[in-house]
Amino acid sequence: MDVFNRLKRLKTEDFIWLIYFFIAAFAVLSNAYERNYDLTNNISSYKKSKIINIIIFFIVFFIYLYFALTFATDLNNMERNFNNKNYRNTLMQLIAALLFLIGGAIYLVQEIIQDDEIEFGII
């Protein structure tokens, strides 16, 4: 990969880290709404928490999709040689990105179809 493309990718990843900062802030806000719902049974707080979680998982899904597509493109531009350490590392990164993408999709679908309060952890 040439220096220009590497710098462009790093700039994109910097932006993704900023997005993660806001995701963390909104996750804390979502927990505050969920806490309010647990204490007061305020359905409005539950709905706000749910909407925030759906938005978070939707954004995270596309972040994982970006990484999966990036690693897939990198693999397509490499010679297929399992003896090449860079090829193996990129393949492992692609597999990890695909697993995160699948997990993110599952969390997104679960949050959308969930009708009652079910506890789960956020990646």
Side-chain angles (χ1 to χ4, degrees), residues 30-89:
S30 173
N31 284 348
Y33 282 126
E34 191 170 342
R35 190 173 298 111
N36 183 32
Y37 169 73
D38 288 340
L39 294 173
T40 64
N41 281 340
N42 182 349
I43 196 71
S44 174
S45 291
Y46 175 75
K47 288 181 181 181
K48 288 176 185 177
S49 173
K50 186 173 180 71
I51 289 169
I52 291 171
N53 287 338
I54 289 171
I55 292 169
I56 288 172
F57 288 129
F58 189 75
I59 292 168
V60 168
F61 176 82
F62 280 102
I63 289 172
Y64 295 147
L65 182 62
Y66 164 78
F67 283 115
L69 292 175
T70 299
F71 294 132
T73 302
D74 289 349
L75 276 179
N76 284 334
N77 293 332
M78 293 177 151
E79 178 185 342
R80 286 173 174 72
N81 178 4
F82 287 100
N83 294 326
N84 181 343
K85 183 179 178 181
N86 288 334
Y87 182 83
R88 281 194 320 262
N89 286 341

Side-chain angles (χ1 to χ4, degrees), residues 16-26:
I16 289 171
W17 280 113
L18 288 174
I19 292 172
Y20 271 121
F21 173 77
F22 287 105
I23 286 173
F26 279 103

